[in-house]
Amino acid sequence: RQRDVDYLFRRFDANVVLTGVIDRQGPLLRLTLASIEPERGEPFSSVKVDSDLGNVSSLQIIPLERAAEIVGFAFSNEDKQRVRDRATNVARAFDLYVRARGVIAPDLEERDAETAVELLDESVELDPLFIPAREALLHSLALAFQDTDNRTYFDRGTQLAEDLAQSRPSARFFRYQAELLTANGEHQKAAAALERAADLAPKSGEIFHKLGAAYLRLGRTEDAENAFHRSINLRPGYWFTPDALGRLYFGQGRYDIAANSFRQVIKCAPRNTVGYNVLG
């Protein structure tokens, strides 16, 4: 929908937005992907991906490959193999996983973490070896605990984290573990988990942003500042981290340097009102 494209354009100053439309006719699925120039809503390029729902492996690889192509990213053989290694051959498990990710997607006005937990419980039961579903379940349990303060979600998340840690845990696992620990007020352990995530994904600006926030909760302002700067260097056009850094400086009474950070927010997203508000 154009309204969604306009929203992304204003919020992130995006120079390209990827859209997708799914058309299903029985077991046949057609996914139409388009890269959109946001300001005018005109497509740069588009591609149609036809798949049979019985071939669930292709649904987890080919759309990613085509999406990368039309927005100008290389999708290497190593990338494809990484996806294959984490894929499932159980169509129902994959369907439940995708639906669960949809109800807890970032920027949703009303996420539904409890529904995501229910969907992912079934997905994991159908394919216990489907690691992305188990990681997403940990994420959903952390969000459900945040939203409801129901200790059952925390206890289940703790047990799942222990189980996942027995294999080769990914950076995503440690990020979700940190969410669960943060929701329980265990900020030192959460920071340690995010440090593990940063070791595994040293080029992830998002992880360093979260690590900076974790350090800030511990009062380690110098470490937080360094982590935020690392995040900015990795993702220079993303306004969330200059905003966090500016708020850190503001809290210290360093108003001139805080204002510089907030000007960077405006530079990253000039059609977003946040930067102007905090600078004012």
Side-chain angles (χ1 to χ4, degrees), residues 123-181:
S123 177
V124 170
E125 184 178 355
L126 289 167
D127 186 357
L129 299 179
F130 185 25
I131 296 299
R134 298 181 74 195
E135 291 175 340
L137 178 57
L138 177 59
H139 177 44
S140 299
L141 289 166
L143 295 179
F145 180 50
Q146 290 176 26
D147 294 345
T148 67
D149 204 31
N150 184 335
R151 296 292 303 181
T152 300
Y153 291 123
F154 174 76
D155 294 340
R156 286 195 58 201
T158 300
Q159 182 59 57
L160 178 58
E162 291 176 0
D163 293 342
L164 285 168
Q166 300 305 311
S167 57
R168 293 193 338 187
S170 67
R172 185 178 288 109
F173 158 75
F174 286 113
R175 197 178 84 198
Y176 294 158
Q177 183 187 39
E179 287 181 346
L180 184 69
L181 293 166

